[in-house]
C-alpha cells in the first residue's frame, strides 16, 4: 500500500488523513538536493540533545564565588567553569539558526506550485519525515531546557561578570572573544524564552508566509493541518500503531502533532482552536490525554502556554476545559 496511505477521515469529513511512514521513508531523486541539505543539519541534532541532557551547570562554583567576592581564586574558578558552558550554549543557539534555514527549505519544497500541500506530502515523504524530525527535536530540546534552570543562571553570571570587569576596567579573559556583545544579546533573548527552539520555528514560519506573498497562506497552513491529521490518525488507530517497529515512534508522533499545531496556531489568522480550524483539536488533545501523563505533560503545557489563540473568545469552553 506504500509508505503514505490515504485513509478515510473519521471526525472531519472534509479533512484528508494520511498514514506516513516516519520510520522508513527514503528520498526520491527529486527530493535529494533539499534532503541532503536538511540531513546535514539533522545529523547534529542528536549530539545537541545529548549535550543538553548532560548539562549540569556551574551552580556550585557560582555560589562560592558570590559568597566570597574577595576570594580571587574562587572568582577565577567560577569563571573557568562557566566559560566552556557558555561556549556550549552558543553552539546551541547557532544550531537554532541552521535549523531555521532547514525549516525554510522544507517549507519551500512542501508548498511550492504546481502541487497542493497534500500532493507534496504524498510525493515527498522523505521531506515530510525530515519536517517531522525537526519538530521532534524542537520539542525535545525545549522540554530539556525548561527543566534546567542552570542554563539561564550560568549565562546571567557570565554577563554580570563581563559587565563588572568592564566597569572596573579589568582585562577581559580570552573566552570573551567567543561571545561578543551582539552575540550575547541575541543569546540572552533566545534563552529568555520558555521554549526557545519552538519560538524560533514559529517566527521562521510566520516570516516564510509574510515573505512569500504570492503563495497563498493556505498552502502553508494546509501542510501543517494535514500533518496534524496524519499524526492523530496514527496515534488513535490500532491498526496503524501496530506498524511502528520502534517503541519511540509513539512519542515522536505526539511531539510532531503538537509542533505542527503550534506552528499552525501562530501562522493561521484565526488559529488552531477556532471552529473553522482544519485541525481536530478535541481529537488531538484526547489522544494526548490517553497516554501516560509523565510522557505528555510537557506537550500539553506547550499547547497551554506557547500557542497564540487558546484564550481567544472563539475557542470553545470544551477545548479550554480539556487543557485545564
Amino acid at each position: 500500500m506504500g509508505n503514505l496511505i490515504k485513509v478515510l477521515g473519521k471526525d472531519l469529513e472534509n479533512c484528508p488523513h494520511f498514514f506516513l511512514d516516519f520510520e522508513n521513508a527514503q528520498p526520491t531523486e527529486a527530493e535529494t538536493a533539499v534532503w541532503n541539505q536538511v540531513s546535514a543539519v539533522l545529523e547534529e541534532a542528536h549530539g545537541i540533545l545529548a549535550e543538553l541532557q548532560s548539562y549540569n551547570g556551574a551552580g556550585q562554583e557560582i555560589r562560592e564565588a558570590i559568597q566570597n567576592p574577595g576570594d580571587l581564586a574562587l572568582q577565577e574558578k567560577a569563571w573557568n567553569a562557566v566559560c566552556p558552558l557558555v561556549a556550549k550554549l552558543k553552539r546551541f543557539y547557532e544550531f537554532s539558526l541552521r535549523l531555521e534555514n532547514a525549516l525554510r527549505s522544507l517549507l519551500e519544497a512542501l508548498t511550492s506550485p504546481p502541487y497542493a500541500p497534500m500532493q507534496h506530502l504524498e510525493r515527498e515523504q522523505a521531506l515530510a519525515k525530515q519536517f517531522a524530525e525537526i519538530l521532534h527535536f524542537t520539542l525535545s530540546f525545549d522540554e530539556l531546557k525548561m527543566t534546567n534552570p542552570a542554563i539561564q543562571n550560568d549565562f546571567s553570571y557570565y554577563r554580570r561578570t563581563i559587565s563588572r570587569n568592564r566597569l572596573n576596567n579589568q582585562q577581559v579573559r580570552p573566552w570573551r572573544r567567543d561571545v561578543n556583545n551582539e552575540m550575547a544579546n541575541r543569546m540572552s533573548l533566545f534563552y529568555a524564552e520558555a521554549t526557545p527552539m519552538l519560538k524560533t520555528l514559529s517566527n521562521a514560519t510566520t516570516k516564510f508566509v509574510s515573505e512569500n506573498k504570492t503563495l497563498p497562506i493556505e498552502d502553508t497552513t494546509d501542510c501543517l493541518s494535514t500533518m496534524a491529521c496524519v499524526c492523530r490518525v496514527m496515534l488513535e488507530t490500532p491498526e496503524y500503531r501496530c506498524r511502528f517497529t520502534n517503541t519511540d515512534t509513539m512519542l515522536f508522533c505526539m511531539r510532531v502533532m503538537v509542533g505542527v499545531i503550534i506552528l499552525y496556531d501562530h501562522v493561521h489568522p484565526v488559529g488552531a482552536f477556532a471552529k473553522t480550524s482544519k485541525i481536530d483539536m478535541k481529537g488531538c488533545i484526547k489522544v494526548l490525554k490517553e497516554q501516560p501523563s509523565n510522557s505528555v505533560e510537557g506537550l500539553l503545557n506547550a499547547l497551554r502556554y506557547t500557542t497564540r489563540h487558546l484564550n481567544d473568545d472563539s475557542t470553545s469552553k470544551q477545548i479550554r476545559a480539556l487543557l485545564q
Side-chain angles (χ1 to χ4, degrees):
M1 295 175 69
N3 289 333
L4 189 65
I5 304 170
K6 190 171 183 179
V7 298
L8 294 176
K10 289 186 171 186
D11 303 311
L12 300 175
E13 294 180 359
N14 297 322
C15 180
H17 298 255
F18 296 94
F19 180 85
L20 175 58
D21 189 350
F22 284 135
E23 296 177 339
N24 302 305
Q26 296 296 319
T28 61
E29 185 176 350
E31 297 171 86
T32 299
V34 174
W35 188 90
N36 285 338
Q37 175 192 344
V38 176
S39 181
V41 176
L42 286 172
E43 283 177 0
E44 298 180 54
H46 181 76
I48 293 288
L49 286 180
E51 282 192 80
L52 180 56
Q53 196 160 21
S54 64
Y55 189 102
N56 294 320
Q60 182 176 343
E61 292 87 347
I62 291 172
R63 282 192 299 273
E64 291 176 348
I66 292 174
Q67 291 167 2
N68 302 277
D71 191 324
L72 295 181
L74 288 177
Q75 305 308 309
E76 194 68 25
K77 181 181 178 183
W79 179 258
N80 290 336
V82 164
C83 284
L85 295 173
V86 169
K88 186 177 293 188
L89 294 178
K90 181 190 175 191
R91 290 199 300 274
F92 296 166
Y93 169 71
E94 290 174 335
F95 181 76
S96 77
L97 303 181
R98 294 195 292 276
L99 201 69
E100 180 180 349
N101 290 331
L103 177 71
R104 182 181 182 88
S105 296
L106 288 174
L107 286 173
E108 288 174 350
L110 293 172
T111 60
S112 60
Y115 302 111
M118 286 185 298
Q119 293 172 304
H120 277 296
L121 292 176
E122 285 186 289
R123 293 168 59 91
E124 293 143 28
Q125 300 167 39
L127 297 187
K129 178 174 179 281
Q130 286 186 319
F131 183 47
E133 288 171 341
I134 285 177
L135 291 168
H136 178 262
F137 164 83
T138 295
L139 270 72
S140 299
F141 181 97
D142 287 346
E143 284 178 15
L144 290 171
K145 186 266 178 186
M146 280 194 294
T147 57
N148 195 339
I151 290 173
Q152 284 182 275
N153 292 340
D154 292 346
F155 194 64
S156 295
Y157 177 81
Y158 176 86
R159 297 207 74 184
R160 289 198 308 271
T161 303
I162 290 290
S163 297
R164 185 170 63 248
N165 288 349
R166 188 184 298 119
L167 289 173
N168 295 335
N169 293 320
Q170 292 181 10
Q171 185 177 0
V172 177
R173 287 112 162 149
W175 281 100
R176 177 73 174 86
R177 300 170 193 156
D178 283 348
V179 181
N180 60 32
N181 195 51
E182 181 184 352
M183 173 62 75
N185 289 336
R186 285 187 278 146
M187 288 172 61
S188 184
L189 291 173
F190 178 76
Y191 287 110
E193 295 288 343
T195 53
M197 286 290 178
L198 196 54
K199 180 68 172 178
T200 297
L201 294 197
S202 295
N203 289 345
T205 305
T206 302
K207 185 178 179 182
F208 172 80
V209 170
S210 64
E211 289 182 349
N212 290 271
K213 299 187 184 303
T214 59
L215 184 71
I217 188 173
E218 290 79 10
D219 284 13
T220 302
T221 56
D222 284 356
C223 177
L224 301 175
S225 61
T226 301
M227 186 73 81
C229 288
V230 168
C231 296
R232 179 177 62 81
V233 169
M234 288 197 291
L235 289 167
E236 69 184 5
T237 310
E239 54 264 40
Y240 297 144
R241 289 201 307 269
C242 72
R243 297 181 185 180
F244 301 154
T245 59
N246 190 324
T247 55
D248 293 334
T249 304
M250 281 281 290
L251 181 57
F252 180 92
C253 285
M254 288 188 282
R255 283 203 175 111
V256 172
M257 181 178 72
V258 169
V260 290
I261 288 171
I262 294 169
L263 290 184
Y264 183 100
D265 194 57
H266 278 254
V267 174
H268 197 281
V270 298
F273 299 95
K275 290 182 180 179
T276 55
S277 169
K278 292 187 178 180
I279 298 177
D280 176 13
M281 286 305 305
K282 289 182 183 178
C284 292
I285 296 169
K286 182 182 176 183
V287 165
L288 290 174
K289 299 198 108 178
E290 288 172 349
Q291 311 305 319
S293 60
N294 63 329
S295 65
V296 298
E297 190 59 28
L299 299 178
L300 290 170
N301 283 337
L303 291 177
R304 292 176 184 125
Y305 305 123
T306 65
T307 47
R308 179 173 292 173
H309 295 280
L310 174 60
N311 294 317
D312 288 1
D313 293 338
S314 58
T315 301
S316 71
K317 292 181 180 179
Q318 294 95 324
I319 290 178
R320 290 184 189 175
L322 282 172
L323 284 174
Q324 285 181 351

